[in-house]
Amino acid sequence: MVHRDDQLSSVNLLAEAIDRDPLIVKSDVVLTEVLRLMSHRQRQASPSRTSNSDVRLRSSCVLVMRQEKILGIFTERDVVKLTVQEIDFGTTKIASVMSSPVITIDAQAFQNDLGAALFLFRRYQIRHLVAIDHYGRLVGTISPENIRQLLRPTSLLRLRRVSEIMTTEVIHALSNVSVMSLAQLMSAHRVSCIVITHPTPADSNSSARIEPVGIVTERDLVRMKSYGVNYPTLTLSGRERASDFEGDRLTDVLRPLLGLTLPPSAVSLVPNERI
């Protein structure tokens, strides 16, 4: 039984947090097509989430269905894991690598309880819930990203403290490592991002520092994989391969972190899945 979080049970937002137009594929679709759909999908955004009527939103998961039956789910984390395993995305069908059975939540029973969804995220260490009705039929999907887009910053601050959700065990790498190495780090540590750093050695006036220069996420790797980028040979400093991104410059993959300079012990991060 789901135990409700008293802080969140009064927040009537679960129904609004549901993506009622999830990406759905059949079980015989190959992974290259799935990646294409995840990376380039364009759909209508909820008016409550954005002032624009049409925005480009990449899907972080795909549902696998046969008629009205939910067979499984495939996520960005699966893309990273399979890339590390060097699975052939051109011949592998999604049915053989999807997660099944899926974790579901009754959208009608918990329509006024956002805390129920957050509890399930934490309990099962997942980032996607499948919302169903009383009859087990698909309603949509819920992710922490959906919830963050819906809640105002003041609501997030009121519900959680930064100290409760941040991690000081930040997984980081130098900017000259291969993208495959980043994928391996993400998979091994089950994290959604890697902070790219530049070390500054100690001198007579200061101690050693770690300078965060950017961040690479699972979504970045999915986008790169969908473009057919060769992970083992590509490095973040290899700007000569920017043309591989069909208009997206390679430097866009390395998201700036405002040039912060911090001592090693001070580096911390708020992962998406903890909000």
Side-chain angles (χ1 to χ4, degrees), residues 114-135:
L114 195 61
L118 298 180
F119 170 81
L120 291 173
F121 287 142
R122 293 193 294 265
R123 178 178 179 181
Y124 293 102
Q125 294 297 294
I126 58 176
R127 289 177 291 173
H128 299 87
L129 284 172
V130 177
I132 58 175
D133 62 17
H134 289 323
Y135 301 98

Side-chain angles (χ1 to χ4, degrees), residues 37-75:
L37 294 172
M38 291 176 70
S39 297
H40 302 290
R41 187 186 186 206
Q42 187 168 345
R43 59 183 169 82
Q44 189 80 7
S46 168
S48 63
R49 298 184 191 180
T50 178
S51 58
N52 300 320
S53 59
D54 253 347
V55 297
R56 178 172 292 277
L57 294 173
R58 293 182 174 89
S59 294
S60 59
C61 73
V62 176
L63 296 181
V64 184
M65 298 187 66
R66 181 175 61 243
Q67 297 180 345
E68 293 189 356
K69 182 178 177 62
I70 305 169
L71 302 178
I73 189 170
F74 184 80
T75 70

Side-chain angles (χ1 to χ4, degrees), residues 10-185:
S10 61
V11 182
N12 304 330
L13 292 173
L14 182 63
E16 295 180 58
I18 297 174
D19 176 3
R20 298 177 185 272
D21 182 27
L23 188 56
I24 298 172
V25 299
K26 296 181 179 179
S27 60
D28 60 350
V29 176
V30 296
L31 293 183
T32 49
E33 177 62 14
V34 173
L35 288 185
R36 187 189 68 80
L37 294 172
M38 291 176 70
S39 297
H40 302 290
R41 187 186 186 206
Q42 187 168 345
R43 59 183 169 82
Q44 189 80 7
S46 168
S48 63
R49 298 184 191 180
T50 178
S51 58
N52 300 320
S53 59
D54 253 347
V55 297
R56 178 172 292 277
L57 294 173
R58 293 182 174 89
S59 294
S60 59
C61 73
V62 176
L63 296 181
V64 184
M65 298 187 66
R66 181 175 61 243
Q67 297 180 345
E68 293 189 356
K69 182 178 177 62
I70 305 169
L71 302 178
I73 189 170
F74 184 80
T75 70
E76 291 174 332
R77 177 162 291 176
D78 295 319
V79 174
V80 175
K81 179 182 67 176
L82 295 175
T83 298
V84 171
Q85 296 174 358
E86 300 189 31
I87 297 296
D88 185 349
F89 281 61
T91 59
T92 303
K93 294 182 179 180
I94 194 170
S96 65
V97 294
M98 67 185 183
S99 298
S100 181
V102 299
I103 305 300
T104 61
I105 185 170
D106 190 321
Q108 295 169 312
F110 294 100
Q111 61 181 330
N112 295 328
D113 191 355
L114 195 61
L118 298 180
F119 170 81
L120 291 173
F121 287 142
R122 293 193 294 265
R123 178 178 179 181
Y124 293 102
Q125 294 297 294
I126 58 176
R127 289 177 291 173
H128 299 87
L129 284 172
V130 177
I132 58 175
D133 62 17
H134 289 323
Y135 301 98
R137 295 174 302 197
L138 176 67
V139 175
T141 59
I142 307 172
S143 70
E145 185 174 8
N146 296 142
I147 295 172
R148 287 195 309 276
Q149 289 174 350
L150 194 61
L151 289 176
R152 296 178 180 177
T154 52
S155 298
L156 288 173
L157 292 172
R158 183 172 63 251
L159 297 176
R160 306 292 297 277
R161 293 192 298 271
V162 171
S163 60
E164 295 176 325
I165 59 178
M166 76 178 186
T167 176
T168 56
E169 297 179 3
V170 179
I171 308 303
H172 58 90
L174 298 178
S175 61
N176 61 351
V177 302
S178 71
V179 176
M180 175 61 85
S181 295
L182 297 181
Q184 291 169 341
L185 283 172

